Amino acid sequence: MAANDHSGGDTREPGAAGRLSDAYTAGRLSDAFFTPGTSSFTRFLAEHRPALLPTRSPLPAGTTAPPGAFPHGTTVLALAYRDGVLIAGDRRATMGNLIAQRDLEKVHPADGHTAVAFAGTVGLALDMVKLYQVELTHFEKIEGVPMTLDGKARRLAAMIRENLGQAMQGLAVVPLLAGYDPKAPAGAHGRIFSFDVAGGLYEKRDFHAEGSGSPYAGGALKKLYRPGLTRRDAALTALQALYDAADDDSATGGPDLSRRIFPIVSVITDEGFERLPQAETEELTREMVAHRRTRPDGPNATP
């Protein structure tokens, strides 16, 4: 029977994707998992199970997501400090003029010495973060060494570029990457990378903010940031910046003292990624809010 004769059943040799699917059905891994190949898990997935990629579009070609149809995360920021780099974000997700979630987590560890925060379409961003975490783990297992921080930034840029089609449909994700680079010069181990929706990669010096509240958070950081901040002062600076963003941007959530919902603040040092404990973040937030009662516009820049 000819290969293209479907009258009596398909006799074509199944492709890699078919063999992978058959292997799952049989309850065992296929040969694709044991064949030497790329160190990129994203490329492996694109070859064998492309339907699992978060870059696939949920919308028909040529359509655009209506405003407010999907939850969006808003303001995230990062700043270098004495021991490394700090990355933080507010907790609000919005759908148009509605608050979709009050306690969204926008800051996630990518590996032991790198963290990623996001603004943009929440569902897509969370899937992209999970895939990125697997990507870095897969690379280290295949190559036997961790990816360099510059390599991590370029790999994330490539993932964002693959999402360009969805971004043009209104489903954009704008991440912020921060990491501790032991190979950097002394005093400059904390590094920050930003991206645009087309996968453009930009390294930022000292601090950066993304999201709808970023103009206000960035202004506060420009006013309050100084080199060599301690961890406590860096955390307070980040909280002040997020408070200013929430003060002027309705999509950014301020600290909710009654519900005890506070921004997420994490640091990355030579010892690795650490999320500040809830008690520490709450103490710093309440201290900041108490000072704001007498100075609603926040502290002045230090000389």
Side-chain angles (χ1 to χ4, degrees):
M1 182 181 293
N4 60 355
D5 184 357
H6 298 276
S7 59
D10 193 349
T11 61
R12 293 174 295 179
E13 180 70 16
R19 290 194 299 271
L20 190 60
S21 179
D22 293 342
Y24 283 132
T25 304
R28 61 180 178 83
L29 294 176
S30 77
D31 293 340
F33 286 94
F34 305 99
T35 303
T38 177
S39 60
S40 169
F41 183 77
T42 303
R43 293 176 186 171
F44 175 82
L45 208 58
E47 180 179 352
H48 298 293
R49 295 296 292 273
L52 297 179
L53 287 169
T55 51
R56 69 192 187 283
S57 179
L59 303 175
T63 62
T64 302
F70 298 93
H72 272 67
T74 49
T75 309
V76 294
L77 58 86
L79 63 140
Y81 75 107
R82 185 180 63 190
D83 300 323
V85 63
L86 177 146
I87 186 166
D90 81 307
R91 307 293 296 276
R92 178 173 292 178
T94 59
M95 290 180 61
N97 64 323
L98 302 177
I99 298 176
Q101 187 172 348
R102 300 179 188 275
D103 59 352
L104 177 66
E105 298 203 8
K106 305 175 188 176
V107 179
H108 301 266
D111 63 10
H113 287 84
T114 317
V116 60
F118 66 84
T121 308
V122 172
L124 186 60
L126 290 173
D127 280 351
M128 189 177 291
V129 168
K130 292 175 184 176
L131 179 59
Y132 185 58
Q133 291 168 334
V134 175
E135 179 85 356
L136 299 187
T137 302
H138 179 78
F139 178 92
E140 186 170 351
K141 288 182 177 179
I142 295 297
E143 300 294 337
V145 293
M147 192 181 297
T148 65
L149 186 54
D150 288 301
K152 294 173 189 177
R154 289 192 295 268
R155 191 60 60 90
L156 183 55
M159 293 176 65
I160 298 167
R161 194 172 300 115
E162 292 170 0
N163 188 56
L164 182 59
Q166 291 197 73
M168 295 299 100
Q169 291 181 296
L171 302 176
V173 176
V174 184
L176 181 62
L177 184 71
Y180 184 90
D181 187 355
K183 298 181 180 180
H189 293 300
R191 299 175 64 190
I192 302 166
F193 299 89
S194 71
F195 309 83
D196 60 33
V197 294
L201 171 61
Y202 315 94
E203 183 166 3
K204 300 299 182 178
R205 182 178 178 182
D206 296 334
F207 59 83
H208 187 67
E210 289 286 0
S212 61
S214 60
Y216 315 107
L221 290 172
K222 185 179 292 186
K223 176 180 70 172
L224 300 175
Y225 180 84
R226 64 184 186 276
L229 290 169
T230 65
R231 168 171 145 158
R232 187 178 191 280
D233 288 340
L236 274 173
T237 299
L239 291 172
Q240 294 278 12
L242 290 172
Y243 192 100
D244 279 350
D247 200 30
D248 288 298
D249 173 41
S250 61
T252 302
D256 192 332
L257 302 183
S258 60
R259 293 186 177 91
R260 300 187 66 211
I261 299 175
F262 306 100
I264 292 176
V265 181
S266 299
V267 295
I268 312 165
T269 66
D270 185 38
E271 297 179 355
F273 174 91
E274 179 190 357
R275 175 170 167 173
L276 267 62
Q278 167 90 358
E280 183 178 353
T281 306
E282 180 175 356
E283 177 189 351
L284 294 173
T285 301
R286 291 186 182 277
E287 177 184 329
M288 176 197 65
V289 171
H291 290 164
R292 289 272 181 160
R293 292 195 179 101
T294 57
R295 296 185 63 92
D297 294 330
N300 293 329
T302 55

